[in-house]
Amino acid sequence: MDERDKFNDTYWMKQALAEAAKGGWNVHPNPMVGAVIVKNGHILGSGYHHGAGQPHAEVEALKDATAHHHDVTGATIYVTLEPCNHFGRTPPCTEAIMAAKLARCVVGTVDTDARVRGTGIERLRQAGIVVDVGFLEDELHALNAAFFKRTSTGLPFVTAKWAMSLDGHIATRTHHARWITGDKARQDVHLARAAHDAIMVGTQTIIDDNPQLNVRLDGNDRQPMRVILDRTQRIPIEAHVFDTHAQKTVLFTTYTTDVQKYLNRGVDVEFIQQEDEKLPLENILRTLVAKYNITTLYVEGGAKLHGAFFDAHFVDAIDVYIAPKIIGGALAPCAVSGHGISTMDLAQVASFDSPILLGQDIKLHGIIKNSYQI
């Protein structure tokens, strides 16, 4: 390491970012946050948020410094997200920073949670602590994309998933789709489901495939909520998705009659106003956030539902599994239908990670550019 790096704010924020990433899924739906305390070019303490209800990163870093018998008076704390200034499950981090007599706080990015949103920064400045804001913000927003999406828009972070043939079909002309991809790809889908709060599908997908929409992994004890869109209640009550013994199911429908059969099976029924014979997606998404605390949503198609999401610009990321098969035929469904675009300059563009080979199938994961603004 160049000795000059020891006095570079960006360098130390990278160390805090590395701490934040240690939190992983354990902190969900809270953001991953890391902190390091630095004095004279040396780290005195470091820490990260371990999970909801546990001490925040700033407190963990102070505890680490104390455990190593370091005096943090006059030191600088680098924290990836603005320190909180309210009582929740834990006390305000601003109070801990002030009590420790730190001289400076370097904040990676402002917290978009309405309970914080600048108040932590203002409180520290009022106490005479120097606060500088805005370091590695692109990386920090990517790390906590779902948190920033929910807190800044009131909408969940949406990932659209589909499996398709080389020629872009998700089923044959008879709607037969089992199986396009192989075992390894289907196993990877279960891993992706386990990393989301909820899975959403439309009516035709369930009628065609009768999926369970659960996570079938050894050692997994967490099941995402199922979200079913069935405007006119065409799905048979015997469908797997209405078995709620081990997994919650929420049905969105416009019909207010004959719902007792769903309630008898433990299904939550949400009535929503119809818009031009369609379910209004924005209202549904806001209900999922406000009532069911959904932060991450996995949309598993088919083409009509994917099309509605892309038409409304509600897709933030995509998981595409490509099988080395040719289906052919003009009547075979494609991955995304909907209204679509008129000219190529209106296309939504994905920024892809490196492709992953799963047996003979290829997985592409990408972020849709400019899906929302913080």
Side-chain angles (χ1 to χ4, degrees):
M1 178 180 72
D2 190 320
E3 282 297 308
R4 290 172 296 181
D5 286 340
K6 290 184 177 181
F7 301 94
N8 184 299
D9 287 336
T10 299
Y11 171 81
W12 294 118
M13 189 58 70
K14 287 180 180 178
Q15 312 311 305
L17 175 60
E19 286 292 319
K22 294 177 182 178
W25 178 257
N26 293 328
V27 308
H28 188 81
N30 290 352
M32 289 174 271
V33 182
V36 295
I37 300 171
V38 178
K39 191 174 185 179
N40 298 326
H42 298 282
I43 291 181
L44 305 184
S46 60
Y48 65 95
H49 182 45
H50 290 252
Q54 299 185 49
H56 289 184
E58 299 93 323
V59 174
E60 290 286 358
L62 288 167
K63 285 168 55 180
D64 184 47
T66 299
H68 289 89
H69 309 291
H70 292 309
D71 179 9
V72 300
T73 302
T76 296
I77 185 167
Y78 293 83
V79 59
T80 56
L81 189 67
E82 175 185 3
C84 65
N85 189 47
H86 65 284
F87 282 91
R89 297 192 198 180
T90 59
C93 291
T94 51
E95 297 297 324
I97 291 171
M98 291 185 293
K101 298 182 180 179
L102 296 170
R104 183 171 176 242
C105 180
V106 180
V107 176
T109 190
V110 173
D111 191 337
T112 50
D113 189 318
R115 297 170 298 176
V116 185
R117 202 170 295 174
T119 62
I121 292 169
E122 182 60 27
R123 179 70 184 93
L124 293 177
R125 285 174 174 164
Q126 288 175 353
I129 296 173
V130 176
V131 181
D132 294 303
V133 185
F135 296 84
L136 302 181
E137 289 194 279
D138 288 345
E139 292 91 332
L140 294 173
H141 288 161
L143 180 69
N144 290 305
F147 168 80
F148 285 116
K149 173 74 180 294
R150 188 195 73 207
T151 55
S152 61
T153 68
L155 300 170
F157 188 90
V158 175
T159 299
K161 168 263 173 182
W162 63 86
M164 68 181 189
S165 61
L166 280 175
D167 54 341
H169 296 297
I170 60 173
T172 69
R173 57 183 169 80
T174 62
H175 286 251
H176 184 259
R178 293 194 173 185
W179 296 102
I180 290 178
T181 55
D183 291 341
K184 289 185 177 180
R186 296 200 300 275
Q187 185 79 351
D188 190 77
V189 170
H190 286 277
L191 291 170
R193 286 177 177 176
H196 287 79
D197 296 324
I199 304 170
M200 178 184 285
V201 296
T203 304
Q204 198 60 48
T205 296
I206 297 175
I207 291 174
D208 290 342
D209 300 335
N210 192 21
Q212 297 181 64
L213 297 182
N214 59 7
V215 176
R216 299 185 291 279
L217 295 172
D218 291 340
N220 177 75
D221 59 358
R222 181 183 178 278
Q223 293 291 347
M225 187 176 81
R226 303 183 188 108
V227 181
I228 311 302
L229 307 187
D230 188 2
R231 184 171 56 86
T232 58
Q233 298 178 16
R234 293 193 295 123
I235 301 171
I237 192 60
E238 299 80 13
H240 291 317
V241 293
F242 295 137
D243 180 353
T244 61
H245 287 95
Q247 193 174 3
K248 186 179 185 65
T249 297
V250 179
L251 171 68
F252 283 87
T253 181
T254 59
Y255 278 23
T256 59
T257 58
D258 196 25
V259 298
Q260 192 60 46
K261 60 185 179 182
Y262 302 112
L263 300 176
N264 290 343
R265 301 203 68 179
V267 176
D268 282 17
V269 179
E270 295 288 343
F271 301 111
I272 197 155
Q273 283 294 113
Q274 185 172 312
E275 293 181 357
D276 299 326
E277 297 188 355
K278 297 179 181 179
L279 290 173
L281 284 182
E282 182 170 351
N283 290 345
I284 292 170
L285 295 178
R286 292 193 183 281
T287 298
L288 291 176
V289 171
K291 187 170 180 178
Y292 295 97
N293 198 30
I294 299 301
T295 297
T296 53
L297 178 65
Y298 206 51
V299 179
E300 296 203 36
K304 185 176 180 181
L305 184 59
H306 284 151
F309 267 88
F310 278 104
D311 283 348
H313 289 258
F314 286 148
V315 178
D316 302 293
I318 57 173
D319 279 350
V320 182
Y321 297 84
I322 305 172
K325 299 175 181 178
I326 303 295
I327 291 177
L331 298 180
C334 64
V336 180
S337 59
H339 183 69
I341 60 171
S342 56
T343 57
M344 286 303 298
D345 59 299
L346 299 176
Q348 295 174 64
V349 179
S351 176
F352 283 115
D353 296 339
S354 298
I356 300 173
L357 189 63
L358 298 167
Q360 292 298 305
D361 304 314
I362 295 172
K363 178 185 180 181
L364 295 176
H365 172 78
I367 300 296
I368 302 297
K369 296 180 179 178
N370 301 318
S371 61
Y372 74 100
Q373 297 293 324
I374 296 175

